[in-house]
């Protein structure tokens, strides 16, 4: 994210927290008050999107989505089978040394 985008996000959050309607002018004025230079397109883009979106629901849904690389298991039985396959049985050091035919102290 660029500085302009972050400044607009923080401005929108401030406006939402103060229960003030989120407009491009108010986002721009908050950024000017914070001495942050922003590209002129960002306040209008954020204001247009957030005018039709409930900001409170966006904030509360941040942790609801799974991670991008993680896939949710399809069924309980399949998930248990996958977990069993992933967990290898730990070997003790004595067994592994015996399998090789020597030990460190022989």
């Amino acid at each position: 994210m660029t500085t302009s985008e972050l400044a607009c996000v923080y401005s929108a959050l401030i406006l939402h927290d103060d229960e003030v309607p989120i407009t491009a002018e108010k986002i721009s004025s908050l950024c000017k008050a914070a001495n942050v230079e922003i590209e002129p397109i960002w306040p209008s883009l954020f204001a247009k999107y957030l005018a039709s979106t409930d900001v409170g629901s966006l904030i509360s849904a941040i942790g609801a989505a799974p991670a991008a690389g993680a896939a949710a298991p399809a069924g309980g039985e399949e998930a248990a089978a996958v977990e069993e396959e992933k967990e290898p049985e730990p070997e003790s050091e004595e067994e592994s040394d015996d399998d090789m035919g020597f030990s460190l102290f022989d």
Side-chain angles (χ1 to χ4, degrees), residues 6 10-11 16-17 21 25-26 32-33 44 48 53 58 69 73 77 79 82 90 94 97 99 103-104:
L6 282 174
Y10 291 141
S11 297
H16 172 73
D17 189 49
E25 294 81 25
K26 291 180 183 176
K32 286 179 186 176
S44 61
K48 285 180 184 177
T53 306
L58 285 176
E77 293 176 15
V82 170
E94 294 175 322
D97 289 343
D99 291 340
S103 95
L104 184 62

Side-chain angles (χ1 to χ4, degrees), residues 21-68:
I22 301 171
T23 63
E25 294 81 25
K26 291 180 183 176
I27 291 174
S28 295
S29 64
L30 277 172
C31 291
K32 286 179 186 176
N35 293 324
V36 177
E37 293 182 23
I38 58 171
E39 297 173 32
I41 189 72
W42 291 113
S44 61
L45 286 176
F46 275 85
K48 285 180 184 177
Y49 176 73
L50 295 175
S52 63
T53 306
D54 181 24
V55 178
S57 67
L58 285 176
I59 294 170
S60 63
I62 288 175

Side-chain angles (χ1 to χ4, degrees), residues 58-101:
L58 285 176
I59 294 170
S60 63
I62 288 175
E77 293 176 15
E78 292 176 12
V82 170
E83 287 180 19
E84 289 177 11
E85 291 176 9
K86 287 184 180 179
E87 295 179 19
E89 295 181 21
E91 291 186 23
S92 67
E93 291 183 27
E94 294 175 322
E95 291 176 7
S96 63
D97 289 343
D98 292 338
D99 291 340
M100 291 183 186

